[in-house]
Amino acid sequence: MSKSTPTAVVTGAASGIGRAIALLAAERGHIVIAVDKDQQGLMSLEPELQTHNAKAFCRTIDVSDADQMTALADEVFDRFGQVNLLFNNAGMVVNKPVLEQSVETWQNVVNVNLMGVVNGLLAFVPRMIQQGSRAHIVNTGSVASFISGAGLGSYTATKMAVRGITETLQQELAEKGADIGVSILCPGPVDTPILAGSGLIADNLENGPIDDAGKTEEPDLMEAISPRRCAEIVFRGIEAGDFAIFTHPSYKPVCQALINATLGL
């Protein structure tokens, strides 16, 4: 079993940000294991990944099922001996007032957005600590990890929780001396099915497919960027050792102002 080729695990990989991250990781030389509930989306992704490395594969898995995630980790470590990049990316959004979201809706959002991250961490990170090679974890949060918005109660609650978990994990891994970086991805508007299905509005979505790969200037607050551009920003953030990776850095002062207002500062 060779450890010479780095390995990346990406959840929520059938479409959107996860798919773009998986493809860019493959292009950058990683063996990619792509995970999603969307079997059809994975079927089209797998051959693309395998053009870069024939060992890449996809698995239809529900990230809210801890046993399925543990079985995936068993398979990955048995085959490759390491995970160098772990992207806990799977997510969902419901755009309804807090009091109009049913208990079942709340539970579904919590199961995917929060427990999906927890299950990924529990399944993979203990073995990543022991593997003896550098690794990095990226948990997908949101600008909603820092600020709230009307209609996004369940989404905001889970994304703020992801921020808390990610900050805590970073501290605990540092205390252990583990050679593992930790980041939280905080996307603004990205042209993905999750944005389109949420009912939220972003500039330029109505203008057709966005081709902005390779651009480096900061997008405006409500300017939707492509998943590919988001993935490029993610890898730049990993390489820079950033904890919070914002696709739209203009949200940082907005977050700061709203947090200060909440604290009465």
Side-chain angles (χ1 to χ4, degrees), residues 37 61-67 69 108 110-112 115-116 119:
K37 289 174 65 175
I61 285 177
D62 181 352
V63 297
S64 69
D65 187 318
D67 290 339
M69 290 298 289
N108 287 339
V110 169
N111 285 345
V112 175
M115 295 311 300
N119 291 336

Side-chain angles (χ1 to χ4, degrees), residues 86-141:
L86 173 63
F87 296 94
N88 289 307
N89 171 75
M92 63 180 293
V93 61
V94 175
N95 186 6
K96 282 186 177 181
V98 168
L99 300 181
E100 294 179 17
Q101 296 190 37
S102 67
V103 171
E104 181 181 10
T105 296
W106 275 90
Q107 193 64 64
N108 287 339
V109 176
V110 169
N111 285 345
V112 175
N113 290 0
L114 176 56
M115 295 311 300
V117 172
V118 171
N119 291 336
L121 296 176
L122 295 178
F124 284 93
V125 177
R127 283 178 274 197
M128 292 168 69
I129 293 171
Q130 300 297 325
Q131 70 190 15
S133 58
R134 174 69 178 168
H136 201 103
I137 301 160
V138 179
N139 296 329
T140 297

Side-chain angles (χ1 to χ4, degrees), residues 125 129 134-135 137 165-182 243:
V125 177
I129 293 171
R134 174 69 178 168
I137 301 160
I165 291 168
T166 308
E167 289 180 353
T168 303
L169 179 67
Q170 183 190 48
Q171 296 165 10
E172 292 174 350
L173 291 177
E175 289 174 0
K176 289 178 179 292
D179 192 14
I180 301 177
V182 181
F243 173 74

Side-chain angles (χ1 to χ4, degrees), residues 166-218:
T166 308
E167 289 180 353
T168 303
L169 179 67
Q170 183 190 48
Q171 296 165 10
E172 292 174 350
L173 291 177
E175 289 174 0
K176 289 178 179 292
D179 192 14
I180 301 177
V182 181
S183 299
I184 182 169
L185 170 60
C186 301
V190 181
D191 186 13
T192 66
I194 195 172
L195 178 62
S198 70
L200 303 175
I201 298 172
D203 295 341
N204 71 14
L205 281 179
E206 72 281 2
N207 297 327
I210 300 170
D211 183 10
D212 60 356
K215 290 187 177 180
T216 57
E217 71 275 13
E218 293 185 9

